Amino acid sequence: MKKQNSIGQPYRRIEGALKVTGRAKYAAEYQVEDLLYGYVVNSKITKGRIESIDESATRAVDGVVEVFHHDNRSSLPRFDLLYSDMDAPPGSPFRPLYDNKIQFAGQPVAFVVAETFEAARYAASLLTVHYAEEEFDVDLKANMDKARDPSKGLATFIKPLPPGPRGDFEKAYAAADERFEGKFHHGSQHHNPMEMFATTTVYEGDGKLTIYDKTQGTSNSQIYVSNLFGLSMSDVRVIAPFVGGGFGSGLRPQYQLVFSVMAALELKRNVRVSMDRRQMFTFGHRPETFQHTRFGATKDGTLTAINHEAFAETSNFEDYNEVVVNHANMLYPADNVTLDYKLIPLDRFTPMDMRAPGGSTGMLAIETTMDQLADQLDLDPLEFRLRNYAERDVSSDKPFSSKELKECYRQGAERFGWNERQPTAKKVRRGNRLVGHGMSSGIWDVIALPGKATATFTAEGKLIVESAVTDNGQGTYTVMTQIAADQLGLPLESVSFKYGDSKHPLSPIQGGSYTTGVIGSAVKAACLKLKDKLFHLAQIMDGYPLGDALPEDTIFTDGAIILKKDPSVRIPLTDIIAFNRGEAVSVSKSNVPNLLKIKQYTRAAHAATFVEVEVDEQLGVINVTRAVTAVAAGKIMNPKTARSQILGGMVWGISMALREETLLDNNLGKYVNTDLGEYHIPVHADVHQLDVIFVPEEDRIINELGAKGIGEIGVISMAPAIVNAVYNATGKLVKVFPIKLGDLL
Amino acid sequence: MIKGISEAGVHEVNLVVNDEHRQLHLPPWVTLLDALRNHLGLTGTKKGCDHGQCGACTVICDDERILSCLTLATMKDGSNITTIEGIGSEDELHPLQSAFIEHDAFQCGYCTPGQICSGVAMLAAGRGDTREEIQDLMSGNLCRCGANTNIIDAIIAVKNQSK
C-alpha cells in the first residue's frame, strides 16, 4: 500500500486559470454598489507644518463629496501602541492625517472623495496647501556623525543585531598576508509591486466593514484598522486572496487603507482609495546603506580577520533595522571579527523590509570583498571559499541544523562550467564585448514563528483547511493544498485551502521566507489532529472495523483509512462522517516552534550563484548572458513554483547590481525618479538564460516540514556574482550600486 | 448618467468589446483603461502605472496592442477591443493562456493579462522570429516578480505549436 505524495511534485498553480483569464480579483477590482473614489494629496515639502488648506476649488468640482485632512478628520487614537502593526519597528509609527506636522517628502496631507475617480483626481490637484517649511536632513553621507545603535524591540529579536567581537581584529588584520578594504554604497530602492496599493471598503452598516486590501497580512490590516478606529475585530473583515506583488511593501498597512476606512465610516458609503505610481515612492523602502569591509587572510588562503560595518538610513520616528553584517562570519570561520551596524535618522520615511532585506545588502559587500582577496591570493574564488568553508557557525558557536552549501558550489559550478573561467581580466572576448565569470555564496536565516490553522472534513468528502495567510504570488495557495492533501492521503482536487481572509485563523504577515515553514507546519499539525480525530471515530464505528488496530497500523490513502496488514479493510472517510450523523469533523491547531531545540542551531538556507556577463568595451553596456543558482533550502514543496521564485530572485539580483535605485535630491529632500520610466527594473530584453538547481537537503530541526523557505535566498547571491563577473571581465571593481555604464568607461 | 457629472460634458462612445457592442456615456477625460475597469467591470485589464510605462494595461485594439491607460475611451469610438476576458475563458483557454500556466509564467498575476494580450497580438502579427526578438518586442510589459524567462518560454512554446 503506497501513500500518495504531492509534496515535492511540480503542480501547476491552482489559481492559474483565474490569473491568465483576468478573473483573479485584486483590491481595487471588487464591484460594489454606489462606490466613492478617494484620491490622496501628498506634501510638496519635506519638513515643516501645514499652515492652512484652501478647499474651495476642490469642493467646487462636480462630484466631490468630501475633503479630509488633519483639521477635519474623524478622531484618531493618541497612543503609539494603537498605530503599531506586526512589522512596526521600535519607535512611534507614522499617523496619517494626525496633525499639521510634515515629517517627510510626499507625506499624505489630505484626500478627496468623489463620485468618480476622475473627479477625485482632478479635485485633488486643485487643493491648495500652504506650508511653513523647515530645514531638513535627508543626506545620509553628510550625517554620518549622527550614526548610533538601533533601538531594541521585537524587530531586533527577529532580526538580531550583530554579535560582539571575537579575537583581536586589528592585530590579525595588521598581521594578515593579504588584506582588502572596501567601501560600498547603494541608494534607497522601492518595492514597486505591479499592483499599486488600493483598498475598497464596503460599508456594511452597524459599524461593520468588509475591506478588500492590498496587503501581505489580512490579520495585520484587521488589527490595525480595529485599533485605529476603535472597532471590534469581529466587525472588521479584511480580504486579500490575490495580491499583485508585495516584496515587503505590504508588510505594513499603508495609508490608503486608513483613508478608505476613514471615509467609509464617516460617509457611511463604500469607498475605494488607490495610490498612483508616484505615491508608491512615499512609504517604506530598502534603506540607503554605506558599508565598510576589511578582510585579511594568510598566504595559504585562510581568512583570519573580518571587519564589516554598515551605516543605514532610518526615519526620525522609527528605528528600522535589518541583518546586514552578521553573515560573513557565519559563512567563513575567521577568528578575529568585529561587526557593527549603525542607524542614521533622517527626514525620510521609515525604511521597510524589501525582498531579502539586509542579506542582499550585506552579501554584496562580503562576497565582492571575498573575490578581491581571492584575486590578490591568486586563488580561484570558489577554491578560496572552499578553503574557508564553515562546518560550524563560529559566530554563535552553534552547529548548522543542515548545510549543503558545498553541494551547491559543486553542482552549480559543474552546470555552469566554472572550470573554464579565465582568472585574468580582458582575456575572453566575443566581438567587441569582454566576457567575465563571477560567483557568490548566499545565505538567509530561517525565521520560526507560531502559526495556526483549522482543518475540516466534510460529508462531501472534502478537506477544507483555513488560514488568514495571503499569497502574493509565492505559490502559498498551491503549496498549502499539497501539504494538506498529503496528510490525509487525498488528491489535490479533494482539498480546498481557504486563505487571504481575516475571518480565518490569525496568520503572521507573509514575509521573511517563513510562510511555508510557519503556516505549512500549522496546516500539517491541524491535518494530523483531524486525522487522529477521524481515526478515533472510525474505531467506534459499528462492527469495530479497525479491531484493535493502532493509528500506526493504518494508512490514510485515496480518501479512506486502510489497515496496513489487511488492505481489504478499507473505511472511506465519508463513511466516518456518515457515522458522525453527517456532521463535518473540524479541528483547530496552533503550531508553536520548539525554541529550546531550534535555538541550539544556526538555521539558514544557502545558495551559490555562477554568472557570465558580457561588457561592451566601448559603451560599458553590461549584459548578464547566463546564470546558474544552486539552492539548498531543505525540502522543496513544489519544484515548479519554487523554481519560479528563485528565478524571480535572480532577476531581482540583476536589478540590484545593474538597474534599480531611487535617486534622492539632497537639496530638495525628495526622490526624483518616482515612476517606472525612470526607476529602472530589468525588462524581458535584460533577462537571458537563468538556471536553477535544488540541492537535496534534509533538515529535521527547523520545522515540521524541513522547509527553509525560498523567497529571499534567490536574490542574495546573484548581485555579488554579477559584480564579481564584471570585475573578471573588465578588471574594474565597482562598489557603488547599481553599476552604471560610465563606471566601466 | 454618472453621478456628479453634468450631462453636457458626456459623450457617447460605442465600442465592440470582446465581440459585444457596448455603448457608454463618458466625459472625454475617461481613459480606455478606466472605462474598461470602472464602467464595464472588465477588471482583467490592469492599472500598473497609468503612465504608459509598465504595459499592464495592454489590450488589443483593431489587431494592434495598445496601452489603454494612454488612450481616452472616446478616441476609440467605433473600435474593436479585445481584453484578456475576450482572449479565452477558463473552460476554453487560448493556447498562450495554457502555456502561461504550464510554464508558470506568472507569480502574482498582475502583469499577466497585459503580457498575454501583448504576446497574442505580437504572434498574430507574425512577429518575433527569434528569442531575442521576442524579448525585445515584449519589453514594454514589465514583470516585477521576475517571471521573465518563463514568459518568453511560454510565448516560444506557442509560436512553435503553430509552426
Side-chain angles (χ1 to χ4, degrees):
Chain A
M1 193 85 281
K2 213 175 162 310
K3 212 175 146 229
Q4 293 159 338
N5 251 338
S6 65
I7 291 179
Q9 298 301 313
Y11 284 107
R12 291 178 290 213
R13 280 171 212 265
I14 297 170
E15 80 286 11
L18 287 174
K19 283 180 175 170
V20 300
T21 55
R23 278 167 185 83
K25 287 217 181 299
Y26 299 79
E29 299 175 350
Y30 287 84
Q31 309 292 317
V32 294
E33 291 295 301
D34 219 14
L35 182 67
L36 291 172
Y37 295 82
Y39 208 92
V40 180
V41 179
N42 300 78
S43 168
K44 292 201 164 97
I45 67 163
T46 300
K47 193 177 182 180
R49 281 173 296 111
I50 300 169
E51 293 211 304
S52 64
I53 295 179
D54 181 357
E55 306 172 355
S56 53
T58 299
R59 287 196 184 272
V61 174
D62 265 359
V64 167
V65 174
E66 190 52 270
V67 183
F68 291 86
H69 46 74
H70 70 279
D71 246 356
N72 71 352
R73 59 157 174 84
S74 46
S75 116
L76 284 171
R78 288 176 51 210
F79 301 106
D80 280 341
L81 187 65
L82 295 172
Y83 291 86
S84 201
D85 59 84
M86 289 182 181
D87 200 31
S92 175
F94 171 62
R95 304 170 173 202
L97 303 194
Y98 189 76
D99 54 23
N100 67 346
K101 215 166 117 190
I102 302 296
Q103 294 169 286
F104 57 94
Q107 178 178 321
V109 293
F111 69 101
V112 177
V113 178
E115 298 286 352
T116 68
F117 166 70
E118 291 81 7
R121 181 176 56 182
Y122 175 57
S125 76
L126 299 178
L127 194 75
T128 309
V129 183
H130 297 285
Y131 301 97
E133 277 197 77
E134 288 167 25
E135 291 280 311
F136 53 79
D137 263 332
V138 297
D139 190 337
L140 184 61
K141 198 173 187 177
N143 285 286
M144 291 295 256
D145 57 324
K146 292 185 188 145
R148 57 159 175 78
D149 289 329
S151 320
K152 287 181 184 166
L154 183 65
T156 48
F157 174 75
I158 293 172
K159 299 179 285 185
L161 296 174
R166 301 179 55 245
D168 185 339
F169 167 78
E170 293 297 346
K171 202 172 142 193
Y173 185 67
D177 296 321
E178 289 295 340
R179 289 180 285 271
F180 180 81
E181 175 172 8
K183 288 191 171 171
F184 301 84
H185 173 258
H186 69 66
S188 306
Q189 299 169 4
H190 284 77
H191 310 74
N192 280 304
M194 294 308 297
E195 181 198 15
M196 300 185 285
F197 274 86
T199 305
T200 305
T201 300
V202 180
Y203 185 78
E204 309 275 15
D206 298 335
K208 280 192 197 301
L209 302 175
T210 302
I211 302 168
Y212 300 97
D213 186 33
K214 176 183 174 69
T215 177
Q216 288 174 246
T218 58
S219 306
N220 195 29
S221 292
Q222 179 197 30
I223 295 166
Y224 182 74
V225 165
S226 303
N227 284 340
L228 241 62
F229 295 97
L231 301 169
S232 145
M233 291 257 288
S234 57
D235 286 342
V236 179
R237 181 176 172 199
V238 178
I239 300 176
F242 296 103
V243 182
F247 316 112
S249 62
L251 293 174
R252 303 191 70 181
Q254 300 302 353
Y255 55 78
Q256 92 292 339
L257 169 65
V258 178
F259 298 162
S260 170
V261 171
M262 185 184 282
L265 288 171
E266 199 80 0
L267 303 170
K268 301 193 173 6
R269 290 202 37 197
N270 305 329
V271 182
R272 172 175 304 153
V273 182
S274 305
M275 286 195 196
D276 61 26
R277 186 51 72 180
R278 190 176 40 90
Q279 290 163 344
M280 296 292 287
F281 292 83
T282 57
F283 48 87
H285 51 273
R286 194 191 300 285
E288 177 183 1
T289 307
F290 284 96
Q291 296 182 74
H292 184 196
T293 58
R294 287 185 295 159
F295 287 13
T298 59
K299 253 193 218 85
D300 68 345
T302 305
L303 198 67
T304 51
I306 293 175
N307 172 218
H308 188 184
E309 299 167 332
F311 303 87
E313 56 156 315
T314 191
S315 67
N316 270 314
F317 43 95
E318 286 172 313
D319 270 13
Y320 169 80
N321 86 293
E322 52 187 27
V323 178
V324 177
V325 300
N326 303 8
H327 289 123
N329 204 214
M330 281 170 73
L331 279 167
Y332 310 116
D335 288 328
N336 304 284
V337 181
T338 55
L339 307 172
D340 203 5
Y341 175 74
K342 293 269 193 282
L343 296 181
I344 295 159
L346 297 167
D347 295 313
R348 306 197 209 172
F349 195 79
T350 314
M352 200 177 172
D353 292 319
M354 176 162 155
R355 204 159 179 190
S360 55
T361 293
M363 289 293 281
L364 199 42
I366 294 165
E367 289 295 294
T368 43
T369 300
M370 286 297 284
D371 257 46
Q372 291 303 307
L373 261 187
D375 199 51
Q376 287 171 219
L377 289 159
D378 254 334
L379 274 177
D380 178 273
L382 177 53
E383 175 57 28
F384 183 44
R385 286 169 176 85
L386 286 169
R387 285 193 195 178
N388 292 284
Y389 192 82
E391 297 291 356
R392 183 180 172 85
D393 173 16
V394 299
S395 74
S396 62
D397 194 25
K398 288 174 187 172
F400 289 99
S401 64
S402 61
K403 182 183 174 184
E404 294 294 343
L405 176 59
K406 215 174 247 179
E407 198 54 21
C408 293
Y409 288 144
R410 195 188 67 74
Q411 291 190 25
E414 189 182 292
R415 178 84 59 93
F416 181 82
W418 181 252
N419 56 6
E420 286 163 27
R421 175 184 183 268
Q422 295 297 318
T424 5
K426 299 190 181 183
K427 272 283 187 309
V428 189
R429 285 169 193 275
R430 275 181 211 137
N432 58 351
R433 286 158 303 172
L434 300 167
V435 179
H437 291 172
M439 60 92 52
S440 168
S441 318
I443 183 169
W444 180 258
D445 303 289
V446 177
I447 298 166
L449 293 170
K452 193 180 176 190
T454 58
T456 305
F457 200 81
T458 70
E460 293 75 36
K462 280 257 179 200
L463 170 62
I464 298 168
V465 181
E466 295 165 85
S467 161
V469 73
T470 53
D471 182 348
N472 288 228
Q474 294 92 334
T476 308
Y477 179 24
T478 307
V479 161
M480 294 304 146
T481 308
Q482 289 175 252
I483 293 167
D486 276 12
Q487 307 316 314
L488 268 78
L490 294 166
L492 289 198
E493 303 75 60
S494 300
V495 181
S496 171
F497 181 60
K498 309 264 189 208
Y499 70 103
D501 188 333
S502 64
K503 76 172 184 183
H504 300 313
L506 184 134
S507 165
I509 39 180
Q510 181 174 39
S513 291
Y514 57 66
T515 299
T516 298
V518 171
I519 300 301
S521 296
V523 164
K524 181 175 175 177
C527 289
L528 289 178
K529 188 173 168 186
L530 177 66
K531 196 173 159 181
D532 199 50
K533 203 162 171 184
L534 290 170
F535 177 84
H536 284 104
L537 277 169
Q539 270 187 320
I540 53 167
M541 280 169 75
D542 304 335
Y544 305 104
L546 288 175
D548 54 5
L550 297 167
E552 53 267 33
D553 301 326
T554 63
I555 188 163
F556 279 61
T557 185
D558 292 328
I561 303 179
I562 288 168
L563 212 50
K564 276 184 193 165
K565 63 177 184 198
D566 180 6
S568 69
V569 179
R570 182 177 184 282
I571 308 164
L573 300 181
T574 44
D575 285 8
I576 303 175
I577 302 298
F579 170 72
N580 197 38
R581 294 183 299 273
E583 274 175 40
V585 176
S586 192
V587 301
S588 175
K589 179 83 180 154
S590 292
N591 185 67
V592 183
N594 181 347
L595 286 182
L596 284 178
K597 180 171 110 182
I598 63 175
K599 283 267 173 203
Q600 294 169 29
Y601 297 87
T602 291
R603 296 155 285 126
H606 291 87
T609 293
F610 300 83
V611 163
E612 178 185 277
V613 298
E614 287 180 0
V615 182
D616 187 305
E617 214 178 354
Q618 278 85 45
L619 299 175
V621 174
I622 305 165
N623 210 355
V624 178
T625 42
R626 62 191 179 93
V628 177
T629 292
V631 177
K635 180 77 186 162
I636 299 302
M637 299 287 126
N638 181 328
K640 195 184 196 80
T641 55
R643 176 176 171 273
S644 295
Q645 248 190 310
I646 299 299
L647 289 174
M650 293 169 81
V651 175
W652 273 65
I654 297 174
S655 200
M656 192 157 185
L658 304 176
R659 290 288 179 275
E660 69 184 275
E661 177 179 28
T662 325
L663 296 160
L664 184 75
D665 184 316
N666 285 316
N667 295 317
L668 296 172
K670 295 180 176 77
Y671 294 114
V672 291
N673 56 333
T674 55
D675 61 61
L676 292 177
E678 299 198 45
Y679 187 88
H680 294 171
I681 62 167
V683 300
H684 292 306
D686 299 323
V687 185
H688 302 287
Q689 199 186 316
L690 302 179
D691 207 352
V692 179
I693 299 168
F694 288 111
V695 170
E697 184 178 68
E698 196 176 314
D699 195 309
R700 294 173 179 277
I701 306 296
I702 43 168
N703 53 48
E704 296 303 308
L705 296 161
K708 290 180 174 177
I710 48 167
E712 333 292 331
I713 190 66
V715 183
I716 291 165
S717 42
M718 186 69 179
I722 293 169
V723 178
N724 290 336
V726 170
Y727 176 76
N728 180 244
T730 63
K732 286 180 183 155
L733 175 67
V734 183
K735 299 191 286 283
V736 177
F737 310 110
I739 301 177
K740 293 157 196 84
L741 311 185
D743 298 332
L744 301 177
L745 296 176
Chain B
M1 183 63 211
I2 304 164
K3 231 195 232 175
I5 298 292
S6 68
E7 221 157 314
V10 166
H11 294 237
E12 183 182 301
V13 183
N14 288 285
L15 300 169
V16 178
V17 182
N18 302 329
D19 294 330
E20 209 180 307
H21 175 247
R22 308 294 294 261
Q23 190 174 71
L24 290 163
H25 294 91
L26 299 171
W29 50 76
V30 176
T31 64
L32 178 60
L33 173 61
D34 289 324
L36 292 168
R37 283 170 66 87
N38 297 343
H39 298 271
L40 294 176
L42 293 170
T43 53
T45 306
K46 304 301 182 197
K47 186 185 277 194
C49 70
D50 223 9
H51 280 66
Q53 296 170 332
C54 77
C57 68
T58 307
V59 297
I60 304 171
C61 174
D62 301 329
D63 299 328
E64 278 201 33
R65 42 188 178 152
I66 64 161
L67 297 171
S68 61
C69 77
L70 291 188
T71 310
L72 297 173
T74 172
M75 288 161 64
K76 293 299 170 190
D77 189 31
S79 290
N80 211 317
I81 311 285
T82 306
T83 69
I84 190 68
E85 290 91 345
I87 300 271
S89 65
E90 274 172 81
D91 306 325
E92 215 173 324
L93 293 173
H94 182 281
L96 190 57
Q97 291 173 318
S98 306
F100 262 59
I101 297 174
E102 187 52 44
H103 289 267
D104 207 32
F106 53 88
Q107 291 176 41
C108 80
Y110 201 78
C111 75
T112 312
Q115 303 275 1
I116 291 175
C117 284
S118 201
V120 166
M122 182 197 68
L123 291 172
R127 303 192 65 193
D129 287 333
T130 63
R131 187 175 185 99
E132 287 67 34
E133 265 182 49
I134 294 173
Q135 284 175 263
D136 279 348
L137 291 166
M138 288 297 295
S139 280
N141 291 84
L142 300 180
C143 168
R144 185 55 158 165
C145 295
N148 308 74
T149 52
N150 289 349
I151 291 169
I152 304 300
D153 286 347
I155 293 172
I156 289 173
V158 173
K159 178 120 189 140
N160 290 341
Q161 278 167 27
S162 58
K163 265 184 188 163

